[in-house]
Amino acid sequence: DAGVIQSPRHEVTEMGQEVTLRCKPISGHNSLFWYRQTMMRGLELLIYFNNNVPIDDSGMPEDRFSAKMPNASFSTLKIQPSEPRDSAVYFCASSLEAQLGLGYTFGSGTRLTVV
Amino acid sequence: AQSVTQLDSHVSVSEGTPVLLRCNYSSSYSPSLFWYVQHPNKGLQLLLKYTSAATLVKGINGFEAEFKKSETSFHLTKPSAHMSDAAEYFCVVSPPNAGNNRKLIWGLGTSLAVNP
């Protein structure tokens, strides 16, 4: 298995532009998580999906952020419009719901820089 | 409410000497506990996990951790550090699979430096 695949690995964009981050979970995993990591706040859970349905989006910072999971093999996190304070590493992770207690598998992350 | 505290933000050891990264947790029930490792500019990798089986858990790369309920601790150890162990380590607590609660509680991380 190729693991959790995120794209792009790096993204540099100008303030005000739309940014879309992509994630392909491990085949068969039915829970998907989006995290953000910064030096100031550490790892923050933004949103998680179970069976393609958003379960908890209370970590999404504001309306500029949105996430979708149109099918079991693909999810997107969109920021529109982007701001410099959105600069961070964004991680996607997946797991089997029945094995959540065994941990998640993380992707390599997308490093976003908004200038 | 659950919480996790990593007692040291930075730990520096010499190559070949033991590693101890400390973690204390607070939970009103028996949690699942994890250690994740993040190498520079890399993703997060599961190092080991405790899920109410044996209290001494062995993980990858020679690391192990012991769950001590009386001390509410889950410290990570390794007998002999290697240069490749230099990374950020995160202690994590997970609630039981109750309802829709899927949130892991993350420590702030401990940066491990290994000196030659």
Side-chain angles (χ1 to χ4, degrees):
Chain A
D1 197 322
V4 177
I5 300 173
Q6 291 187 248
S7 64
R9 290 294 305 273
H10 302 273
E11 176 80 33
V12 180
T13 190
E14 292 185 346
M15 182 174 63
Q17 296 298 306
E18 176 182 302
V19 176
T20 299
L21 312 180
R22 296 172 178 79
C23 175
K24 176 178 168 56
I26 289 176
S27 178
H29 281 188
N30 58 357
S31 291
L32 183 140
F33 307 81
W34 281 101
Y35 279 86
R36 177 172 68 176
Q37 186 179 36
T38 62
M39 289 293 291
M40 294 296 293
R41 294 185 299 271
L43 271 159
E44 304 171 278
L45 176 64
L46 301 178
I47 184 171
Y48 70 84
F49 295 84
N50 192 36
N51 294 321
N52 313 337
V53 176
I55 301 300
D56 185 346
D57 64 355
S58 60
M60 297 285 262
E62 48 197 277
D63 292 345
R64 297 184 297 106
F65 286 69
S66 62
K68 294 183 180 180
M69 192 165 186
N71 57 62
S73 59
F74 183 65
S75 177
T76 59
L77 178 68
K78 184 180 293 185
I79 308 172
Q80 180 184 19
S82 58
E83 296 182 4
R85 60 194 168 113
D86 301 331
S87 297
V89 180
Y90 290 81
F91 288 103
C92 177
S94 72
S95 178
L96 271 172
E97 182 187 7
Q99 297 181 352
L100 283 170
L102 301 181
Y104 306 164
T105 301
F106 281 82
S108 298
T110 294
R111 182 175 296 275
L112 174 66
T113 304
V114 183
V115 298
Chain B
Q2 297 181 101
S3 65
V4 59
T5 303
Q6 292 184 242
L7 298 167
D8 308 293
S9 59
H10 299 279
V11 170
S12 183
V13 301
S14 297
E15 190 175 20
T17 64
V19 175
L20 170 63
L21 305 183
R22 298 181 296 166
C23 173
N24 285 103
Y25 71 93
S26 173
S27 179
S28 55
Y29 39 74
S30 294
S32 294
L33 294 158
F34 310 86
W35 278 96
Y36 279 85
V37 60
Q38 185 178 28
H39 287 91
N41 300 313
K42 300 288 186 182
L44 291 137
Q45 182 183 18
L46 181 63
L47 202 56
L48 52 77
K49 56 183 179 284
Y50 166 78
T51 54
S52 72
T55 56
L56 182 62
V57 182
K58 294 186 184 299
I60 60 173
N61 302 333
F63 283 93
E64 61 182 38
E66 186 171 7
F67 173 71
K68 292 186 177 180
K69 187 174 181 179
S70 60
E71 299 177 9
T72 61
S73 70
F74 190 57
H75 302 333
L76 182 69
T77 61
K78 183 173 181 177
S80 176
H82 191 272
M83 297 295 289
S84 61
D85 295 328
E88 190 85 11
Y89 291 80
F90 295 92
C91 183
V92 186
V93 61
S94 172
N97 289 346
N100 286 323
N101 187 357
R102 301 289 186 263
K103 292 184 177 180
L104 298 181
I105 310 299
W106 292 77
L108 294 179
T110 298
S111 178
L112 175 64
V114 181
N115 306 310

